[in-house]
Amino acid sequence: SAFSQFSTEACDFTATGWFGENAEWTYGYIDWTFQGYYKMELSGDTMLQGLPCKKVQRRRTGVSFLFPGVKTTIFDDRYVYEAFDKVSVWNGNGFTVLYDFNLQPGDTLTFAAVNCPERQYVIDSVGITEIDGVELRYQKARMFPGWPFTEIEEITIIERLGEVYRKQNGS
């Protein structure tokens, strides 16, 4: 599992990771009205546009700042595909590359995830980190402003985990 914090459900480009058997991910979550966590789990295989995809079940659990009590929301399944060091997500019309570990410093990736206007990030640095004795590649990047975001965001993407860190405006 991984733990990270994201700032919005509206633009759902959360990490899908790479797809080992029985993989699941847990991500901290906070937005303007809700705080809790996302849990994503592989739930099967399917084919989309002739490509072998993984079906990912997603749910969010936590507390609302507006209403009392713990609430769990089940979201539509996500369909993801991984090949050639790229992770792509089905956006309803086709696949969008979300992460590309072929990119090097200075390279830019443009994507539009589900319910999200086009976003773009540029790779600042790449390297290798060790987590629980496993060496994994990482990319540090800057996500350019795009509604509803007005600031450049620093992000870190780790192989097999996805985006695990986001920092806005130097804070």
Side-chain angles (χ1 to χ4, degrees):
S1 291
F3 182 84
S4 65
Q5 186 165 315
F6 297 94
S7 58
T8 181
E9 161 63 18
C11 292
D12 184 7
F13 47 82
T14 54
T16 55
W18 288 242
F19 319 114
E21 188 175 336
N22 300 319
E24 66 178 46
W25 301 264
T26 303
Y27 295 94
Y29 179 85
I30 188 168
D31 70 9
W32 300 279
T33 63
F34 190 89
Q35 182 171 348
Y37 65 93
Y38 268 101
K39 186 162 189 172
M40 301 188 314
E41 301 174 81
L42 290 182
S43 63
D45 299 310
T46 191
M47 296 287 286
L48 287 171
Q49 292 187 336
L51 298 172
C53 299
K54 298 291 185 181
K55 181 177 173 181
V56 178
Q57 292 179 332
R58 306 175 305 134
R59 70 178 179 268
R60 181 182 70 185
T61 301
V63 294
S64 169
F65 302 129
L66 304 175
F67 305 103
V70 175
K71 180 179 180 183
T72 296
T73 304
I74 307 290
F75 294 99
D76 290 340
D77 291 334
R78 181 62 43 96
Y79 300 95
V80 291
Y81 172 71
E82 188 268 330
F84 308 109
D85 285 334
K86 297 177 185 180
V87 174
S88 301
V89 63
W90 179 257
N91 66 20
N93 299 314
F95 285 96
T96 298
V97 175
L98 203 54
Y99 309 118
D100 183 347
F101 273 84
N102 297 300
L103 298 178
Q104 295 297 310
D107 291 342
T108 299
L109 180 71
T110 301
F111 67 95
V114 177
N115 300 324
C116 188
E118 193 170 84
R119 296 295 310 267
Q120 189 174 63
Y121 62 83
V122 63
I123 303 298
D124 291 326
S125 64
V126 298
I128 297 194
T129 189
E130 186 175 308
I131 299 175
D132 289 336
V134 177
E135 288 189 349
L136 300 169
R137 294 175 292 174
Y138 71 83
Q139 297 173 319
K140 292 187 181 265
R142 284 171 288 134
M143 182 84 71
F144 293 113
W147 186 92
F149 307 102
T150 58
E151 305 283 336
I152 291 177
E153 301 166 284
E154 296 175 23
I155 63 173
T156 299
I157 303 162
I158 297 178
E159 182 179 26
R160 295 174 49 191
L161 299 178
E163 183 186 330
V164 297
Y165 176 74
R166 177 173 296 182
K167 181 173 149 183
Q168 270 188 304
N169 197 24
S171 58

